[in-house]
Amino acid sequence: MVNAQTRSTVLRVAQEVGYVANASARTLRTRSSKVLGVVLPTLTNPVFAECLQGIASQAALRGYAISPCTTEYDHAGEDAATTRLLASGVDALVLVVSNPGDSAALARVRQAGKPYVLAYHHTHEHACVGVDNTGAVRELVLRLAAAGHSRIGMVTGQLQASDRAQQRCRGYALGMQAAGLSPLPVWEVPFAATAVQMLQHHLAEQAPPTAIVCSNDLLAIRTIRAASLAGFSVPADISVVGFDGIAMAGDLTPSLASISQPNHDIGSACVRLLCDALAGKKTLAAQESLCLPHGWRSGESCRL
Amino acid sequence: MVNAQTRSTVLRVAQEVGYVANASARTLRTRSSKVLGVVLPTLTNPVFAECLQGIASQAALRGYAISPCTTEYDHAGEDAATTRLLASGVDALVLVVSNPGDSAALARVRQAGKPYVLAYHHTHEHACVGVDNTGAVRELVLRLAAAGHSRIGMVTGQLQASDRAQQRCRGYALGMQAAGLSPLPVWEVPFAATAVQMLQHHLAEQAPPTAIVCSNDLLAIRTIRAASLAGFSVPADISVVGFDGIAMAGDLTPSLASISQPNHDIGSACVRLLCDALAGKKTLAAQESLCLPHGWRSGESCRL
DNA sequence: TTGTATGCGTTATCAA
DNA sequence: TTGATAACGCATACAA
């Protein structure tokens, strides 16, 4: 309700003097920052970087800025990141935590009363967007078994640092059971570079697996390296499969076979849920959770 | 200047009611947000993710939060990111742009009068923290020549999207000249997945190079794939060297040889410069620029 | 359609 | 050492 004449004049002058609205003042007054907080374990794992791209582009579409924070897989880091974001006045949060069950950070967010959604998780206690980790691995193990593999192994990162890893290991156990095979002990390795040595050591066992399922792509890359160092050829001696479907997988040699997650879509779906909730001034219910379909990215690392 | 008694009471009550200072109000009043803006091309290239880690940890140490933004190597993206960060009230900026020479974003920052520093760049017009791109490649080419390579090629991403790439190509030219070799035409490929096909096509030429220098590690990974698809063995037929020294390089098979940059340190050095400038209420001069030493990460991909 | 006053939560200034 | 008051820049409600 302003004269077109006046409007254009104001706009022109604003342009001329390079006026930009002060976000802090606006936030203070409106009690809404138009910023979404994002809590991720790390950005050096491309999975999360890809997801963040999805978050960023969708947020931009809906007129929101984002504020990403990493926890480095650390419990205290999760807490620090959430506290900081909450204090900075974000309107809502996307989180990837170690374990939603015992997360102090999550409790804090919940208490703050802001809408939030967990990415990559899968629990009935919170609104989540992810894939069926357990089902995906179970299905893969069955396919490997059908292809003739009987000694199928599993490699995972530190289980306590990720409920996703736990679910994937569960899928391994279920798959082996369904295939009538006896599961091998899961190889749990640290995130550090020592993982390769450790895997190499495991592979030196008599009768190593002929197929190895890894709980993420970065681990799969290290498993391939360990196999190579141990004198095995991939996939001739050992098939290796990852989980995540990071973009780089297809550029590796051998190309990496992987259960792929729609990382970009997981991110954008999270933002969509949050923005819809914010638009309706509602908080997000666990019922709103989305289980997105996983895919299969075939690759030379796996004989199937 | 407050009674210790009063102080503790206030602190206790604040704790009890879960008081957290409102960042927007504080920023509005003090005209200082204690936030550093970070403008990066992308986070799906691990180089920048690693650098961001360095930025984040150093910033935390100095009591600053960070606000990262990606441009996706887009000129308009640079502009949008900078505008947004400036409006959001950051105290200073770390930037990685396509080309400092013609960057509208940089002009904007400069005009805003906030301290800023360019990461990975190397120019006398601005405060920079980076490595000697040209010298590093030149030196490598000489070493390759000394090892008996005479057909040495160069692969780069889109030159206009990165002055670093331009400087590295220049290093290639200088190195070939110094070695008394005639430089081959530089292979410039897009960031897209079609890069592999393109490289494969190039490699099908009669007498392909026996050594290829790539302007970054992601390209080197694709070059190795292209070589493999074209029927060449790395490094038996072709040696491949990257640039960046991303952490993952050592986990690949073959492990990737690379000119390594101290990505973490580049990030933390940027923050150190900015915080010192902020503490002294000064702006940053180009004289403050830092040229950090590059390294050589040997790897199986290169016969040297 | 335009102008004016008030308050968001904090810090800084000044008086007590 | 403490308490009261103004101002940061914006949005809103209301008056003109």
Side-chain angles (χ1 to χ4, degrees), chain A residues 48 184 217-218 252 259 279 304:
Chain A
F48 301 120
L184 305 177
D217 282 349
L218 252 32
L252 300 177
I259 296 171
L304 201 67

Side-chain angles (χ1 to χ4, degrees), chain A residues 195-234:
Chain A
V196 170
Q197 298 170 35
M198 218 150 149
L199 289 168
Q200 190 181 346
H201 187 75
H202 280 306
L203 284 165
E205 290 174 2
Q206 69 279 32
T210 63
I212 299 180
V213 180
C214 305
S215 74
N216 67 58
D217 282 349
L218 252 32
L219 270 179
I221 289 171
R222 289 182 162 166
T223 301
I224 290 176
R225 172 124 194 102
S228 162
L229 289 176
F232 295 106
S233 161
V234 174

Side-chain angles (χ1 to χ4, degrees), chain A residues 19-22 25-26 29-30:
Chain A
Y19 168 84
V20 266
N22 181 309
R26 176 172 287 168
R29 176 64 234 234
T30 61

Side-chain angles (χ1 to χ4, degrees), chain B residues 29-71:
Chain B
R29 179 64 235 230
T30 62
R31 317 178 136 277
S32 141
S33 59
K34 290 296 217 172
V35 174
L36 303 179
V38 183
V39 178
L40 299 172
T42 181
L43 286 167
T44 52
N45 185 333
V47 189
F48 301 119
E50 291 175 16
C51 177
L52 187 61
Q53 274 192 331
I55 292 175
S57 58
Q58 183 66 21
L61 237 53
R62 312 277 297 230
Y64 280 81
I66 62 169
S67 183
C69 277
T70 61
T71 67

Side-chain angles (χ1 to χ4, degrees), chain B:
Chain B
M1 12 167 189
V2 61
N3 196 333
Q5 170 77 346
T6 315
R7 164 181 292 272
S8 70
T9 309
V10 170
L11 254 33
R12 183 175 50 73
V13 175
Q15 173 81 10
E16 281 175 16
V17 302
Y19 168 83
V20 265
N22 180 310
S24 300
R26 175 172 289 170
T27 298
L28 183 60
R29 179 64 235 230
T30 62
R31 317 178 136 277
S32 141
S33 59
K34 290 296 217 172
V35 174
L36 303 179
V38 183
V39 178
L40 299 172
T42 181
L43 286 167
T44 52
N45 185 333
V47 189
F48 301 119
E50 291 175 16
C51 177
L52 187 61
Q53 274 192 331
I55 292 175
S57 58
Q58 183 66 21
L61 237 53
R62 312 277 297 230
Y64 280 81
I66 62 169
S67 183
C69 277
T70 61
T71 67
E72 308 303 329
Y73 289 102
D74 180 39
H75 224 82
E78 289 179 8
D79 224 45
T82 336
T83 307
R84 183 148 30 91
L85 288 174
L86 251 18
S88 83
V90 296
D91 291 344
L93 286 163
V94 179
L95 303 104
V96 182
V97 298
S98 291
N99 194 328
D102 69 350
S103 167
L106 263 190
R108 203 184 294 280
V109 176
R110 202 157 210 179
Q111 206 215 343
K114 312 237 177 196
Y116 68 95
V117 55
L118 303 185
Y120 293 103
H121 293 282
H122 196 63
T123 154
H124 294 295
E125 313 294 321
H126 309 271
C128 298
V129 176
V131 302
D132 177 9
N133 291 300
T134 305
V137 174
R138 178 180 180 281
E139 162 199 323
L140 168 65
V141 169
L142 283 173
R143 289 180 57 202
L144 288 169
H149 291 283
S150 59
R151 289 201 314 284
I152 304 173
M154 172 101 203
V155 171
T156 180
Q158 303 201 289
L159 286 171
Q160 69 164 54
S162 160
D163 68 330
R164 280 97 58 208
Q166 291 172 32
Q167 290 164 358
R168 291 166 197 172
C169 285
R170 189 169 146 68
Y172 165 72
L174 290 178
M176 291 299 273
Q177 189 180 348
L181 299 171
S182 47
L184 304 177
V186 169
W187 294 342
E188 183 178 352
V189 300
F191 291 127
T194 53
V196 171
Q197 298 171 35
M198 219 149 147
L199 289 169
Q200 190 181 345
H201 187 76
H202 279 307
L203 285 165
E205 291 174 1
Q206 68 279 32
T210 63
I212 300 180
V213 180
C214 305
S215 74
N216 67 58
D217 283 349
L218 252 32
L219 271 178
I221 290 172
R222 290 182 160 164
T223 300
I224 290 176
R225 172 125 193 100
S228 162
L229 289 176
F232 296 105
S233 162
V234 174
D237 300 319
I238 304 178
S239 285
V240 175
V241 178
F243 198 116
D244 286 342
I246 61 179
M248 187 186 309
D251 292 330
L252 300 177
T253 312
S255 60
L256 181 63
S258 182
I259 297 170
S260 65
Q261 307 188 78
N263 296 307
H264 206 275
D265 293 347
I266 289 177
S268 56
C270 286
V271 171
R272 211 170 309 124
L273 286 182
L274 289 180
C275 290
D276 288 349
L278 287 169
K281 298 185 185 313
K282 294 175 300 188
T283 183
L284 263 176
Q287 286 76 20
E288 310 269 6
S289 288
L290 257 39
C291 184
L292 268 37
H294 58 269
W296 169 250
R297 176 171 297 182
S298 63
E300 300 154 354
S301 68
C302 179
R303 180 175 58 76
L304 201 66

